[in-house]
Amino acid sequence: MTTQQTIGFIGFGAMASRMGDNLKKAGYALVAYTPSGKGGDGSTPFLPSPADVAKKADIVLVCVPDDEALAAAMYGENGALAGMHANQLLLNTSSVSPEATDALQKAGQDKEICVIDSPVSGSTPEAEAAALVILAGGDDALLARAKPVFDCIGKTTIHAGPSGSGARLKLVINGIMGAGLAAVAETIAYGLAAGLDRSMLFDALGEVAVISPHHKRKIRAAKEGDFTPQFPTRLMQKDMRLLLDAAARQAVPMPTMAATTQQLSLTRRAAANEDYSALIGVMEHIVANDA
């Protein structure tokens, strides 16, 4: 598909820049804003504020790390909403709280802006390969408008339900991802402490069906001590914190998720900007000096 539409990125980090590359390949033009005012390889124009990006873009795509960054990018005289017009499409791919998601939907509705919460499942390899899974909340007509963009950055789009459902589904998925990694890290630590050969142990876990493909990728990297960030610890820990808060609001007990959050808080202290699988390294270090 070729189009002359312009996508305005608010946030242009590791995930967004890879999405942008795939949108450029499909014929879209890009403009972007980052809080630092820097980024990219020079082929994407960077503008001084989110409002400026919104004015230049046909569709705005926001990809920022947390609720605070979303608020700073969306609201106020320089925020994206100030530069948007009625019926313009705003795609929020950020992983943020349900409350922040609902607030943005309400603010957009007040200005007749069409907001879709559309966080993505996948890390930088999936973003680069246009193989993300988009978790979209909104009505059918809005999702149909966004489909050409989603098809350029992802392999499939899940219609999670009405507005806000995508953000809530993302917390479910990331909770499973975080708890699964914690289980892997703990049991690897046991195996090492019990005297199993390290190389055999890591390789064996790559062969068994009980380990997800995602976690097998993390185990392979951890075997080499490679925690190059595909999903930084600080973001995984943030998502676990959001899940715990959201679950508490629904009076849903989550003892497993609470314990995982504590482990990731420890890992964030040690390796905030490394991949969240650094938890495997932390656990290995704990048992490394055992006789």
Side-chain angles (χ1 to χ4, degrees):
M1 182 193 71
T2 301
T3 176
Q4 296 302 309
Q5 284 189 306
T6 296
I7 307 290
F9 275 84
I10 311 295
F12 206 64
M15 292 291 288
S17 60
R18 287 167 169 82
M19 294 183 212
D21 287 343
N22 287 312
L23 287 163
K24 281 192 284 189
K25 289 174 186 175
Y28 287 93
L30 303 186
V31 293
Y33 165 82
T34 61
S36 68
K38 302 175 182 178
D41 57 6
S43 63
T44 299
F46 278 72
L47 302 181
S49 75
D52 291 317
V53 167
K55 291 172 186 175
K56 291 280 188 181
D58 298 293
I59 297 170
V60 175
L61 190 154
V62 55
C63 186
V64 294
D66 53 33
D67 288 15
E68 293 77 13
L70 183 69
M74 293 295 104
Y75 306 119
E77 62 181 1
N78 293 315
L81 293 179
M84 296 187 73
H85 57 75
N87 206 39
Q88 196 171 359
L89 198 59
L90 173 60
L91 309 178
N92 180 20
T93 68
S94 313
S95 296
V96 294
S97 70
E99 291 73 30
T101 301
D102 294 345
L104 180 58
Q105 165 64 21
K106 175 63 165 58
Q109 192 173 43
D110 290 345
K111 291 197 65 173
E112 300 182 340
I113 293 164
C114 303
V115 180
I116 300 178
D117 54 295
S118 49
V120 298
S121 181
S123 298
T124 50
E126 289 78 20
E128 189 165 340
L132 296 166
V133 176
I134 293 91
L135 315 171
D139 64 36
D140 289 334
L142 274 188
L143 263 64
R145 286 183 59 191
K147 185 177 186 297
V149 174
F150 291 158
D151 286 350
C152 290
I153 64 175
K155 65 179 181 179
T156 190
T157 297
I158 295 172
H159 188 179
S163 178
S165 300
R168 290 162 171 86
L169 178 57
K170 179 62 187 286
L171 293 183
V172 171
I173 292 168
N174 277 23
I176 294 168
M177 184 169 71
L181 192 280
V184 166
E186 289 182 1
T187 49
I188 284 176
Y190 160 74
L192 294 173
L196 293 178
D197 177 77
R198 184 181 187 276
S199 183
M200 179 283 299
L201 174 59
F202 279 79
D203 290 346
L205 295 177
E207 298 295 330
V208 294
V210 296
I211 309 292
S212 73
H214 171 83
H215 291 118
K216 286 180 180 180
R217 187 169 77 200
K218 300 302 182 187
I219 290 166
R220 287 194 299 270
K223 180 185 177 185
E224 306 303 324
D226 179 8
F227 301 112
T228 303
Q230 296 178 348
F231 188 21
T233 301
R234 57 185 170 81
L235 297 183
M236 183 75 249
Q237 187 264 358
K238 176 263 303 181
D239 286 353
M240 296 301 298
R241 172 175 56 80
L242 293 179
L243 174 59
L244 280 183
D245 180 71
R249 292 170 187 268
Q250 299 294 330
V252 176
M254 284 196 158
T256 301
M257 300 302 167
T260 299
T261 304
Q262 296 301 315
Q263 291 174 306
L264 286 165
S265 292
L266 173 64
T267 308
R268 182 172 179 170
R269 286 284 179 179
N273 293 312
E274 293 188 41
D275 193 82
Y276 85 104
S277 58
L279 175 55
I280 298 173
V282 168
M283 292 300 293
E284 183 172 0
H285 178 73
I286 288 172
V287 301
N289 295 323
D290 282 7

